[in-house]
Amino acid sequence: MKRWLLISLFIFFFFDVPKEAAAGQTLQQLIDAAPAHGTIRLTGQTYIGDIVIDKPLTIIGTKGTVIQGSGRGNVISIKAPHVTITHVTVTNSGKSRSTQEEYVGIKVYSDYNTLEHITVKQSFHGIYLSQAHHNRIANVRVIGEQNGEIAGQGNGLHIYYSNFNELEHNTIIGTRDGIFFDYANHNVAKGNEVSHTRYGLHYMYSDDNAFDDNTFMLNNGGAAIMNSNRIVLKNNRFFFNKGMRSFGLLLQMANDNRIIGNTFYQNERGLYIDQSNDNFLQRNVFLQNEIGIELWSSSQRQTFTENRIWKNTIAVARLGGGDRNRWDFRGVGNDWGGEAALLDLNQDGKGDSPFRYASSFHKLAEENELAYLFLSSPSLGVYEAINEWRQTDEVMAVDHAPLVKKTISAGWWWGLLGFGAIAVIVPKRRIRR
């Protein structure tokens, strides 16, 4: 038995140990000399870049491994499937805008590749998938120039005509867009962190994608979904995306998307919807944004249910005309917090009457875009109060089944009714005596 076990182990190691290329050559020479499906292990030094990988290969770096480009092209070009690169720093791609090609730290033209534990910096784009499918990009860190010049730098991850890719646990700082999907379908972005960009995540003409559990913080816009449909967003965090016309999430010409369980906190506008229809929003939190939800009349048939819309300066701003959106679904509305003083006498967790949220801010915004500058001003509260007193505000949303917190509201109202009953009964008894 022991002899067969030793023979099996010998066969396994003999055929499975990767074949390593010889040392003492340039990185391109090492790649050219390596057999297909071989492995190249790099030491902690700087290698000259602008390399091309045209065979299935594994490149493994270590602490201090740097692949440095010439500054005139792509640092690494992957043109074969089944390439794996891990634990390297890639730097100094071309940045010229006078050529047709946009240069990049790592450009992938093929399928089924894996890029993990990589840092990309001093490059125009970080990683670019060009008609490349079924790739995995994970634990990659892309550091942009962070100089505020949007046009002068590329995207962290650029996904172009590429489908079925996985982008997980990447960190992107200071690029144009964090992750840009351009004619790219069926991709998954999960657990990524994006900050100090124009849009943390940007879809253009890209359908049937999903992004879960990502964090978008301190960007001009958290995520922008444009001309894209049927995207599922779950459990993402949109924090502190502030500035003139900033937003947590933008839907523009984006239809049939499902937006579930996300948190919008301290954004200029939590959610901004324009020219978009039939989107479904459930169990999201809109907390302390300047505007919780901004809806333009060009957008219709959105459904809001089980959302918590709390402590925003303006909970809902509906601009441009009529409302054909639903603020409850199958008898379940939204939790409006302190905006709504509701009775729940039967304690079913729902208000006994519809809730109508009214505001006058839309008048200011429609007349002058600079009105957004005053969202943080106390004068806006005075303006709202005056219009409420004059009854010149307008209903922005009607929730036919608003949610009520039982522990506070119901108990408070029953206590008030009990006190009222005692106040009525006791004087009557005294009169009878």
Side-chain angles (χ1 to χ4, degrees):
M1 181 66 184
K2 289 183 178 179
R3 189 175 65 177
W4 280 108
L5 179 62
L6 290 173
I7 292 173
S8 300
L9 288 172
F10 172 77
I11 293 173
F12 174 80
F13 282 112
F14 181 80
F15 287 102
D16 193 66
V17 169
K19 303 170 182 63
E20 298 194 12
Q25 300 170 288
T26 68
L27 182 53
Q28 186 63 62
Q29 289 172 331
L30 288 171
I31 293 168
D32 293 342
H37 302 286
T39 297
I40 298 174
R41 297 185 185 278
L42 303 179
T43 60
Q45 66 182 71
T46 298
Y47 295 83
I48 301 301
D50 294 6
I51 59 174
V52 177
I53 303 173
D54 57 1
K55 69 186 75 171
L57 198 65
T58 297
I59 296 178
I60 302 173
T62 188
K63 184 178 181 181
T65 300
V66 176
I67 302 176
Q68 181 174 323
S70 66
R72 298 187 298 274
N74 301 316
V75 183
I76 300 174
S77 299
I78 300 175
K79 297 188 175 181
H82 300 290
V83 171
T84 297
I85 301 178
T86 66
H87 294 95
V88 300
T89 294
V90 178
T91 183
N92 202 36
S93 80
K95 302 181 183 66
S96 173
R97 303 304 309 280
S98 60
T99 66
Q100 289 188 339
E101 183 167 2
E102 296 182 350
Y103 295 124
V104 59
I106 303 176
K107 196 157 194 173
V108 181
Y109 301 91
S110 54
D111 307 337
Y112 298 104
N113 302 290
T114 300
L115 306 175
E116 292 185 329
H117 300 286
I118 294 172
T119 297
V120 182
K121 56 186 180 181
Q122 296 179 336
S123 298
F124 188 71
H125 294 297
I127 294 176
Y128 194 122
L129 303 187
S130 178
Q131 300 181 62
H133 313 300
H134 300 284
N135 297 286
R136 175 176 168 77
I137 302 174
N139 297 295
V140 167
R141 184 177 178 85
V142 180
I143 302 173
E145 297 296 322
Q146 303 184 61
N147 57 10
E149 295 181 7
I150 296 298
Q153 56 188 331
N155 304 309
L157 307 178
H158 191 126
I159 316 301
Y160 176 69
Y161 276 103
S162 299
N163 307 323
F164 300 105
N165 297 288
E166 297 177 358
L167 317 172
E168 296 188 356
H169 305 295
N170 303 292
T171 301
I172 301 164
I173 304 170
T175 60
R176 182 200 302 164
D177 291 342
I179 307 174
F180 181 38
F181 295 90
D182 193 11
Y183 296 96
N185 306 321
H186 301 289
N187 298 285
V188 176
K190 186 174 182 179
N192 302 286
E193 296 184 3
V194 185
S195 61
H196 301 283
T197 66
R198 179 181 64 170
Y199 302 148
L201 187 148
H202 188 184
Y203 291 101
M204 286 293 289
Y205 306 105
S206 299
D207 300 332
D208 301 300
N209 294 286
F211 68 102
D212 304 341
D213 197 29
N214 302 283
T215 301
F216 306 100
M217 188 163 65
L218 299 171
N219 305 286
N220 290 339
I225 302 176
M226 300 178 175
N227 300 283
S228 302
N229 304 314
R230 299 181 301 280
I231 293 174
V232 179
L233 302 71
K234 288 185 178 178
N235 305 319
N236 299 283
R237 293 162 291 279
F238 302 89
F239 295 164
F240 305 108
N241 299 293
K242 285 197 169 186
M244 183 65 178
R245 309 289 285 167
S246 290
F247 50 82
L249 173 64
L250 163 69
L251 302 181
Q252 190 168 59
M253 301 182 75
N255 307 313
D256 296 304
N257 300 291
R258 294 181 64 83
I259 302 164
I260 299 172
N262 304 281
T263 301
F264 302 86
Y265 176 67
Q266 291 267 355
N267 302 285
E268 178 81 9
R269 292 171 290 184
L271 173 64
Y272 176 32
I273 304 182
D274 183 25
Q275 302 177 72
S276 301
N277 302 316
D278 301 304
N279 295 292
F280 184 81
L281 296 103
Q282 185 180 36
R283 295 195 299 277
N284 301 286
V285 176
F286 299 90
L287 178 62
Q288 295 186 5
N289 304 282
E290 300 292 2
I291 299 175
I293 301 164
E294 181 170 318
L295 280 161
W296 283 80
S297 61
S298 55
S299 301
Q300 301 294 338
R301 301 187 302 277
Q302 326 300 328
T303 298
F304 297 86
T305 182
E306 299 182 77
N307 299 287
R308 183 178 297 174
I309 307 170
W310 282 18
K311 299 181 179 179
N312 303 282
T313 303
I314 303 292
V316 178
R318 184 167 50 76
L319 292 91
D323 181 17
R324 291 179 56 199
N325 302 294
R326 290 195 300 179
W327 295 91
D328 49 84
F329 179 66
R330 294 178 179 172
V332 180
N334 301 278
D335 181 355
W336 297 85
E339 298 286 353
L342 299 165
L343 281 170
D344 181 19
L345 299 180
N346 60 1
Q347 297 191 68
D348 65 351
K350 300 175 186 175
D352 294 335
S353 59
F355 169 65
R356 291 175 170 80
Y357 175 77
S359 171
S360 303
F361 173 75
H362 68 288
K363 299 176 183 176
L364 293 173
E366 288 170 352
E367 292 174 0
N368 194 332
E369 192 172 331
L370 294 178
Y372 289 91
L373 294 174
F374 297 93
L375 281 167
S376 301
S377 171
S379 60
L380 180 61
V382 175
Y383 175 81
E384 288 277 87
I386 291 174
N387 281 284
E388 183 180 4
W389 176 72
R390 295 173 59 194
Q391 296 185 335
T392 54
D393 53 3
E394 293 183 19
V395 174
M396 298 286 104
V398 179
D399 187 337
H400 295 92
L403 302 179
V404 176
K405 288 186 70 174
K406 294 181 181 179
T407 53
I408 298 175
S409 300
W412 190 87
W413 281 110
W414 279 113
L416 181 62
L417 287 173
F419 178 80
I422 293 171
V424 171
I425 294 171
V426 171
K428 285 184 177 179
R429 287 185 174 178
R430 286 178 180 173
I431 292 171
R432 288 175 182 173
R433 289 174 184 173

